[in-house]
Amino acid sequence: MSQQTARRGGAAWALVITSVAGFMAALDNLVVTTALPSIREDLGGGLHDLEWTVSAYTLTFAVLLMFGAALGDRFGRRRLFIAGLAVFTGASAAAAMAPGIDSLIAARAVQGVGAAVMMPLTLTLLTAAVPAAKRGMAYGIWGAVNGLAVASGPLVGGTLTEHISWQWIFWLNVPLGLALLPLARLRLAESHGTGAPLDVPGTLLASGGLFGIVYGLVRGPADGWTSSLVLTGLFAGGALLVGFILYSTRAKNPMLPMRLFRSRAFAGINAASLLMFLGMFGSIFLLSQYMQGVLGYSPTEAGLRMLPWTGMPMLVAPIAGILADRIGGRPVVATGLFLQALGLGYMAVVATTDASYVSQLPALIVSGVGMALFFAPASHLVMSSVRPSEQGIASGSNNALREVGGALGIAVMGSIFAAQGGYETGQTFVDGMRPALVTGSAVVALAGIAALLIPTRRRTEQQQDRAEAAPVLETAAH
């Protein structure tokens, strides 16, 4: 390694740059939730438009994440990180200037493209820059920042919406992006992966399949579940995803190697991540609107009252990272998921049209601790479940499945909400939200069960050692 590369690759700079970039991408998952009533009033649109305002970002983010990781491995991780950051920053400005709901949704989709290239490379760039003995703490800080971004989205969005305008939830990204671009160029070391060919067919199959399913789920309540477009989206999307799985088992260089799922550690943490985000995203999408539309809080007041939930990642996630280093990630992640499920279930019980904040507070605290215990150990489990040469694709696949879970969560829980209630009165909103929250709680509990299937740390390390030795033994045999 040259002296210039070594200087550029400082661990502290890598941690700062990747954490801030991850914060931007994660923040935009849910920053619009407390702004939705204001966006609806300003630009118009129904429930399905509001869902797409969130899901256009999460969906493009999800389906292109693995492709973005592969681009970085092939053409240079720092180079593609900078390109993704530039696209994300420009699309944020376009979203802020959107004249209508359709143009806002389109800008959100382009934001997702930039984030899909940028986000998976944050972990691989960080891993390359930090010594192995300190990665647990580094992942803990990175996880705390990203967890805070996801959870504090409603507070940031609510504060900016009330005191300036909803457009500033997007303008916020522009100065941060412009500041990070030269820092990334000067302070991050370039690195490459295997340089395998890009999997364009796999990307198209996964993208088309996920879009079809989410489209069907979002449009189902409005158009009817037996309408031709809804049925076409659901069945065609399902068929394309099956095709993606079959293709990926046979392709020479697939975007997502199905062989990785033979590892119980990799399969378990990815299943838990998908289910966790499905339950969490759909719940926050509805709860932020409940606090404003039913309980009468302003956007800022709604965000502040969610602080017991949103503030916990900053306090608990670094501790969770240290615990994961000492006792293994499985018990920490599983405990966090069961606490999150308990919190959502409790919220479903106490939610009424005139619920006091005191009655909601235990649910918010328990959910916040649960979310915080999940983030950092989950990232550590993902990166330690594969060989170092596969960490880029592992990071991309885990982040993709998280975002898939988020998009599906909003679609599924939005459909349950629309079927059981609506926006007509406070009572109809509560009638729709309660069964949706119960569903979210059950899904996150399933995520906890999936986490319990992850092998213990010693067994995971033994499996990884065997995986690393296999190519050497195979070469020796030839």
Side-chain angles (χ1 to χ4, degrees):
M1 181 183 290
S2 68
Q3 291 181 350
Q4 184 182 21
T5 301
R7 178 181 62 81
R8 282 178 170 175
W13 276 112
L15 180 59
V16 170
I17 294 168
T18 58
S19 293
V20 174
F23 179 90
M24 292 166 61
L27 181 71
D28 272 61
N29 274 308
L30 289 173
V31 74
V32 300
T33 53
T34 40
L36 288 174
S38 297
I39 292 174
R40 186 182 184 193
E41 181 180 350
D42 194 6
L43 302 182
L47 174 64
H48 63 279
D49 293 309
L50 297 182
E51 291 182 56
W52 277 117
T53 302
V54 181
S55 294
Y57 178 81
T58 57
L59 191 58
T60 53
F61 195 175
V63 299
L64 295 176
L65 264 169
M66 291 177 283
F67 194 66
L71 284 172
D73 286 348
R74 183 171 177 81
F75 296 110
R77 291 163 179 161
R78 185 188 65 185
R79 180 183 302 170
L80 266 295
F81 173 81
I82 292 171
L85 178 60
V87 170
F88 181 86
T89 303
S92 297
M97 297 184 289
I101 192 71
D102 292 336
S103 55
L104 175 60
I105 292 171
R108 289 280 288 165
V110 178
Q111 264 192 312
V113 173
V117 176
M118 173 179 70
M119 186 66 173
L121 299 177
T122 60
L123 263 184
T124 48
L125 288 167
L126 182 62
T127 300
V130 177
K134 297 181 179 180
R135 284 176 189 162
M137 177 63 74
Y139 291 149
I141 296 172
W142 182 92
V145 173
N146 281 267
L148 177 64
V150 171
S152 66
L155 174 59
V156 174
T159 302
L160 292 174
T161 298
E162 181 176 353
H163 296 289
I164 309 179
S165 71
W166 64 261
Q167 286 87 349
W168 275 90
I169 64 179
F170 303 115
W171 282 126
L172 176 66
N173 292 323
V174 176
L176 290 175
L178 293 177
L180 284 184
L181 284 168
L183 284 176
R185 176 67 181 84
L186 294 172
R187 296 295 181 179
L188 291 179
E190 185 61 281
S191 63
H192 295 77
T194 59
L198 299 176
D199 183 12
V200 176
T203 301
L204 293 175
L205 286 169
S207 302
L210 290 171
F211 177 81
I213 289 175
V214 172
Y215 177 85
L217 291 171
V218 168
R219 293 300 309 178
D223 296 346
W225 293 103
T226 58
S227 69
S228 58
L229 283 177
V230 170
L231 290 176
T232 299
L234 293 174
F235 284 109
L240 288 172
L241 286 183
V242 171
F244 168 73
I245 294 172
L246 294 175
Y247 164 83
S248 298
T249 59
R250 300 180 179 130
K252 185 176 181 181
N253 296 292
M255 175 176 65
L256 178 58
M258 290 295 140
R259 59 180 170 76
L260 294 179
F261 289 93
R262 297 172 188 167
S263 163
R264 275 179 53 197
F266 185 81
I269 190 57
N270 277 284
S273 296
L274 185 147
L275 294 170
M276 157 67 173
F277 273 64
L278 195 157
M280 182 190 71
F281 266 55
S283 300
I284 292 178
F285 175 76
L286 293 173
L287 283 171
S288 60
Q289 296 181 72
Y290 163 72
M291 287 190 169
Q292 294 179 69
V294 178
L295 300 183
Y297 298 133
S298 70
T300 302
E301 289 172 340
L304 286 172
R305 280 164 174 76
M306 294 182 75
L307 270 179
W309 188 352
T310 62
M312 287 298 170
M314 176 178 287
L315 299 175
V316 180
I319 300 173
I322 296 172
L323 284 174
D325 284 342
R326 293 183 178 179
I327 65 174
R330 181 180 73 163
V332 180
V333 166
T335 300
L337 290 169
F338 287 125
L339 286 175
Q340 178 77 82
L342 178 63
L344 292 177
Y346 185 87
M347 182 63 77
V349 172
V350 301
T352 62
T353 57
D354 58 351
S356 68
Y357 182 62
V358 173
S359 68
Q360 302 169 55
L361 192 56
L364 295 171
I365 293 174
V366 170
S367 294
V369 173
M371 182 188 295
L373 289 175
F374 170 82
F375 278 115
S379 299
H380 202 172
L381 283 171
V382 170
M383 301 302 275
S384 63
S385 67
V386 297
R387 297 192 296 266
S389 62
E390 296 173 329
Q391 286 179 340
I393 198 65
S395 171
S397 63
N398 182 255
N399 280 286
L401 288 170
R402 290 184 182 194
E403 298 303 321
V404 167
L408 289 175
I410 292 171
V412 170
M413 295 175 70
S415 297
I416 295 171
F417 168 81
Q420 302 294 323
Y423 288 100
E424 291 80 11
T425 66
Q427 188 59 52
T428 58
F429 193 99
V430 171
D431 291 341
M433 185 182 72
R434 275 180 165 173
L437 290 181
V438 170
T439 302
S441 175
V443 168
V444 177
L446 286 176
I449 295 172
L452 291 176
L453 299 178
I454 299 171
T456 61
R457 179 167 59 180
R458 179 175 295 180
R459 290 183 59 190
T460 301
E461 291 172 351
Q462 291 173 347
Q463 291 174 356
Q464 186 176 2
D465 290 342
R466 287 196 295 269
E468 291 175 353
V472 178
L473 295 174
E474 185 178 344
T475 302
H478 288 292

